[in-house]
Amino acid sequence: MADRTHGWRPSVDSLLANLETAARGGPVELQVPEVSPTTYVGMDDVGSRWARIVCSPKSVSVDHRTAAISFRVLGDGYLVAVDPAIEKTVAQAFLAEIVALLHAGGPAGSAGVKALQHWRELLARPPGQLLDEKAQAGLYGELEVLTMVLGHGGSFESWTGWQMDQNDFRLPGLVIEVKTTLSPNYRRVRIHGLAQLADPQDGSELILVLRRLERSATGRSLPDIVETCVDQGAPHSQLLEQLASVAYSEQHRGHYVDTKFVSREIALRVIDDDHPRLTPELLAASTDLSCIDRVDYVLDLNGAANADLDTTLDDLLIDRINSK
């Protein structure tokens, strides 16, 4: 999915934030600047949020198949409203996509339907279980690396961890596996399966990134880092869809905002034949693997700090992304 908002962030969030107090007295609207045709965003005292687009009613397309989104054709255009039960950040991101499509010059009458095509599955999906602190830290570590990839001009599609791929990132000539822990003993990491540290089939270099997080009131939460990814060009609806695949839901945003992390230490390791690991090739000669479903093991690298790469992840990404 192409990034439809990169390079211009509509002011939907700030406009709706300005309306929250006024909406206690009933429905209110504000016009969105820099958008043609004339477009308003609004909200009411029960938490409904909407976009109202001024255009010919004859040009309007509607879609009534998603309970969380309603369309209403008006005498001077139409209104697309989001049910108040939807988490407000999801509602505002959906409305922001409508505005972004209008800003990009898309047909006014079909902007609501087109945005809904991208968000339908996400809006209909139940939020699922909360992530515990360990799972939050693991996802935080991946997304922090994603912000670095995007910040250096890399592709959003290089993040493959959401697919339950054996590795977290695949860039030109480089595969990255991220291991994040809240433990001070960050050099002791769990490897999931024999394939996780196996040689990439395309001959790319495999790098293991070790990250240690600490809880800190001055750090960033998962919702914060999701927003950073969007600010740096990740397509919002696609990012949230992929996060849903790893059990993160914006519907639980309120439970995550107060859990904030900072990265304290980072180490990089090249994984090759000289590095400790277990792979199918190493075991195949002496073990019948046909009846073994899965092997997880702990890699203890405390005694081998001198094998760390003498470079930073930023420098490594700059080198690989710029060389493509």
Side-chain angles (χ1 to χ4, degrees), residues 30-83:
L30 285 174
Q31 184 175 344
V32 182
E34 303 179 46
V35 173
S36 180
T38 301
T39 300
Y40 300 87
V41 293
M43 64 184 301
D44 60 23
D45 55 347
V46 297
S48 292
R49 291 168 171 79
W50 63 81
R52 182 168 67 86
I53 299 99
V54 177
C55 64
S56 169
K58 294 180 180 180
S59 71
V60 174
S61 300
V62 299
D63 186 334
H64 299 300
R65 293 175 294 168
T66 301
I69 304 297
S70 63
F71 287 77
R72 182 154 55 97
V73 180
L74 308 171
D76 62 350
Y78 68 110
L79 182 146
V80 186
V82 185
D83 188 275

Side-chain angles (χ1 to χ4, degrees), residues 7-315:
W8 182 80
R9 292 299 306 279
S11 53
V12 170
D13 290 7
S14 59
L15 290 174
L16 288 172
N18 290 334
L19 290 174
E20 286 192 359
T21 299
R24 295 170 188 167
V28 287
E29 288 184 334
L30 285 174
Q31 184 175 344
V32 182
E34 303 179 46
V35 173
S36 180
T38 301
T39 300
Y40 300 87
V41 293
M43 64 184 301
D44 60 23
D45 55 347
V46 297
S48 292
R49 291 168 171 79
W50 63 81
R52 182 168 67 86
I53 299 99
V54 177
C55 64
S56 169
K58 294 180 180 180
S59 71
V60 174
S61 300
V62 299
D63 186 334
H64 299 300
R65 293 175 294 168
T66 301
I69 304 297
S70 63
F71 287 77
R72 182 154 55 97
V73 180
L74 308 171
D76 62 350
Y78 68 110
L79 182 146
V80 186
V82 185
D83 188 275
I86 299 299
E87 160 64 38
K88 76 174 184 178
T89 58
V90 175
Q92 291 174 184
F94 167 69
L95 297 176
E97 180 148 352
I98 295 176
V99 174
L101 289 167
L102 295 169
H103 184 269
S110 60
V113 167
K114 186 173 289 293
L116 182 55
Q117 290 172 355
H118 304 145
W119 287 82
R120 186 188 310 281
E121 182 179 351
L122 184 65
L123 289 164
R125 183 175 294 164
Q129 298 296 313
L130 288 168
L131 297 174
D132 62 22
E133 187 177 64
K134 181 179 178 182
Q136 288 181 58
L139 181 55
Y140 183 101
E142 285 189 42
L143 293 182
E144 194 170 38
V145 173
L146 178 58
T147 66
M148 298 168 71
V149 170
L150 295 172
H152 294 306
S155 169
F156 173 71
E157 283 69 28
S158 65
W159 179 44
T160 54
W162 68 275
Q163 299 172 315
M164 302 303 180
D165 193 351
Q166 66 190 47
N167 298 114
D168 298 318
F169 291 87
R170 295 183 179 276
L171 294 93
L174 180 66
V175 173
I176 297 174
E177 177 62 29
V178 183
K179 293 296 181 183
T180 309
T181 181
L182 291 164
S183 170
N185 190 3
Y186 77 109
R187 290 182 175 275
R188 187 176 173 87
V189 297
R190 180 167 294 278
I191 307 301
H192 301 289
L194 295 176
Q196 195 162 65
L197 297 187
D199 294 334
Q201 294 184 353
D202 64 358
S204 294
E205 185 177 37
L206 174 59
I207 298 293
L208 178 63
V209 178
L210 308 179
R211 306 181 72 82
R212 182 168 76 87
L213 303 183
E214 289 182 1
R215 289 283 300 269
S216 172
T218 62
R220 293 188 291 179
S221 66
L222 267 179
D224 290 335
I225 207 150
V226 168
E227 285 301 311
T228 300
C229 290
V230 175
D231 288 341
Q232 293 183 333
H236 204 157
S237 59
Q238 185 178 352
L239 174 61
L240 292 183
E241 286 170 6
Q242 294 180 359
L243 287 170
S245 299
V246 290
Y248 174 85
S249 171
E250 278 283 288
Q251 303 283 59
H252 290 316
R253 180 187 182 95
H255 294 277
Y256 299 137
V257 291
D258 293 328
T259 304
K260 297 185 177 183
F261 303 105
V262 292
S263 297
R264 290 301 188 193
E265 295 177 282
I266 300 174
L268 308 180
R269 308 294 293 261
V270 175
I271 304 300
D272 55 20
D273 290 341
D274 295 327
H275 196 282
R277 59 177 175 169
L278 292 176
T279 67
E281 292 74 21
L282 289 173
L283 295 182
S286 59
T287 305
D288 179 7
L289 300 179
S290 62
C291 296
I292 298 177
D293 183 58
R294 183 181 179 90
V295 175
D296 287 359
Y297 61 98
V298 174
L299 192 62
D300 189 344
L301 304 176
N302 282 291
N306 59 346
D308 292 352
L309 283 178
D310 187 20
T311 188
T312 66
L313 183 57
D314 272 311
D315 288 341

